[in-house]
Amino acid sequence: MSNKILVIAILLIGLGGLFAVKFNPPKPVELESGFLFPEAFELAPFELVDQQQKPFTNANLKEQWSLFIIGFTYCPDVCPTTLNKLAAAYPELKKIAPIQIVFLSVDPKRDTPEKLLTYVNFFNPEFKAVTGEQTQIFPLTRSLGLTYAMVGEGDNYQVDHSAGYVLVSPQGTRVAVFKPTAALGKAPQVLNDALISDFDRIVKSYKPK
């Protein structure tokens, strides 16, 4: 093979590699228990208060991952089940990357900071429990892609709410959602093994923009 032919062959191989990169992008991360959002989404500005009566704002999401769930302390099944499962998964999640669990109460009328302190401490004192005015809560839950609605009248009303978890990046952007699956006779829940595995995949593949 002449030198000229050899050079052309090398150039073609190189171009083939470029086309492979251009037309065959990296495969998206596949999750067992949910999915990644196509684009990182900035959360609406919010000003809440935590169980220690300290401000909790967008600034509290920086430099660590945050796993949000919404609910209320009078919740009869989904909330205590979810928090109990997250308490079990939390040590393994922390081994992967710094992370905080944030329980956002959408029932500020009954869930005072003092009530939230007692409630969340039962599961794990390191968890955050936050609430605020509905004018602050609603835009945040909408940014997270979670929903809730008050059901019933009087003091014994209930709150229908999403049972999924939403993962927020150390840059304060919405990254992924973990969807609960329903088993016969049991409340919908996200399986811990899948959650831990998925979080590990996300952290390893995440490239902030």
Side-chain angles (χ1 to χ4, degrees), residues 13-102:
I13 291 171
L15 287 173
L18 289 175
F19 281 120
V21 171
K22 182 176 181 180
F23 294 108
N24 294 289
K27 189 176 180 181
V29 176
E30 294 184 0
L31 305 182
E32 296 179 52
S33 59
F35 63 90
L36 289 170
F37 293 106
E39 297 289 339
F41 184 82
E42 294 283 347
L43 298 185
F46 61 87
E47 295 181 3
L48 304 175
V49 61
D50 70 13
Q51 72 268 36
Q52 304 291 347
Q53 302 189 46
K54 295 180 180 179
F56 188 86
T57 69
N58 300 74
N60 294 92
L61 307 180
K62 303 297 184 179
E63 300 182 0
Q64 62 184 326
W65 295 86
S66 301
L67 192 62
F68 273 87
I69 61 170
I70 66 172
F72 62 118
T73 63
Y74 286 80
C75 182
D77 44 28
V78 174
C79 295
T81 298
T82 297
L83 287 167
N84 192 50
K85 288 179 66 64
L86 286 174
Y90 185 57
E92 295 302 317
L93 294 172
K94 286 200 303 180
K95 290 178 183 178
I96 298 169
I99 186 171
Q100 62 178 343
I101 308 298
V102 184

